Amino acid sequence: MKKNFLTFLLLGAAALLNAKSFSLQIVQRNTGGENVFDASYIVEQAIMDYFFDRGTIVSNNSVIVSDNDAAKEKSQLHRSFVDAQEGGMNLFIKLFLNYSLENSTNPSAVLLSNIRDAQVEIVSVSDLKVLFEKKFVPKKVNSSNDNRGGVESFATDMAIEIQARLAKKEGAL
């Protein structure tokens, strides 16, 4: 009995070592404050759920709220990258959510119209190679998608594209 359990435990550990994994870091930009918007959390959760549901090990760090200080942002991203390395992650995904709030009727609301675009950069933790970069722009915003569901759909569309592109990169995920 003990021998079977030990064998099972070792096989499970070996499977985890070979499992694909990533750490996701959301950077919220152009919000003019220090508070993390609910829309940023929703994007983060939708992407993490998408990959977790497909067997990928996912982790994240707290959302970074950029105050247009490039050196500070770079330092915070570096700390997140080190966490990904120490956590044994295969990939580090930086997702910059760029907000456009000048004409918003409710800047802190979960509205697709508040998100101008998202820039994604995926880096291999082992060799620091950039595997994928892309700018995503939300589809045309209308009354039926300018809500939480529209934000979730935008995030899921990004996750689908990320997965497809990484699959072409020799099974990066």
Side-chain angles (χ1 to χ4, degrees):
M1 177 79 165
K2 274 187 173 180
K3 193 173 188 178
N4 288 339
F5 177 72
L6 186 57
T7 301
F8 177 74
L9 186 62
L10 289 173
L11 287 173
L16 283 177
L17 289 174
N18 291 322
K20 296 299 182 180
S21 60
F22 72 80
S23 180
L24 175 65
Q25 179 60 67
I26 302 288
V27 180
Q28 176 181 292
R29 290 180 165 167
N30 306 315
T31 56
E34 296 179 11
N35 295 328
V36 177
F37 285 2
D38 287 341
S40 295
Y41 288 127
I42 289 168
V43 168
E44 177 182 61
Q45 193 62 52
I47 291 172
M48 291 182 68
D49 287 349
Y50 178 87
F51 283 100
F52 180 80
D53 290 346
R54 284 149 185 84
T56 303
I57 298 168
V58 296
S59 72
N60 66 315
N61 284 311
S62 299
V63 174
I64 295 171
V65 179
S66 180
D67 58 3
N68 296 322
D69 182 342
K72 182 179 171 185
E73 184 178 292
K74 184 177 180 179
S75 173
Q76 290 172 314
L77 283 167
H78 178 72
R79 273 185 294 211
S80 295
F81 182 81
V82 169
D83 288 345
Q85 281 181 314
E86 291 174 352
M89 297 290 128
N90 299 105
L91 304 174
F92 182 62
I93 299 178
K94 297 182 272 188
L95 192 148
F96 301 92
L97 278 176
N98 298 303
Y99 285 82
S100 179
L101 306 173
E102 297 83 28
N103 298 320
S104 178
T105 57
N106 192 350
S108 62
V110 180
L111 300 173
L112 186 58
S113 60
N114 286 344
I115 300 173
R116 183 180 68 225
D117 60 56
Q119 295 170 297
V120 174
E121 181 180 305
I122 302 175
V123 178
S124 169
V125 172
S126 63
D127 61 9
L128 304 177
K129 182 179 176 184
V130 175
L131 301 176
F132 174 68
E133 290 180 281
K134 182 167 180 175
K135 180 178 180 178
F136 293 89
V137 179
K139 295 176 184 171
K140 184 173 178 169
V141 178
N142 56 49
S143 60
S144 67
N145 70 0
D146 198 17
N147 52 36
R148 179 187 183 105
V151 173
E152 288 173 342
S153 179
F154 176 57
T156 301
D157 289 347
M158 285 190 285
I160 291 168
E161 172 107 7
I162 289 167
Q163 182 185 37
R165 292 289 183 99
L166 290 174
K168 290 180 182 178
K169 296 274 186 189
E170 298 179 32
L173 259 189

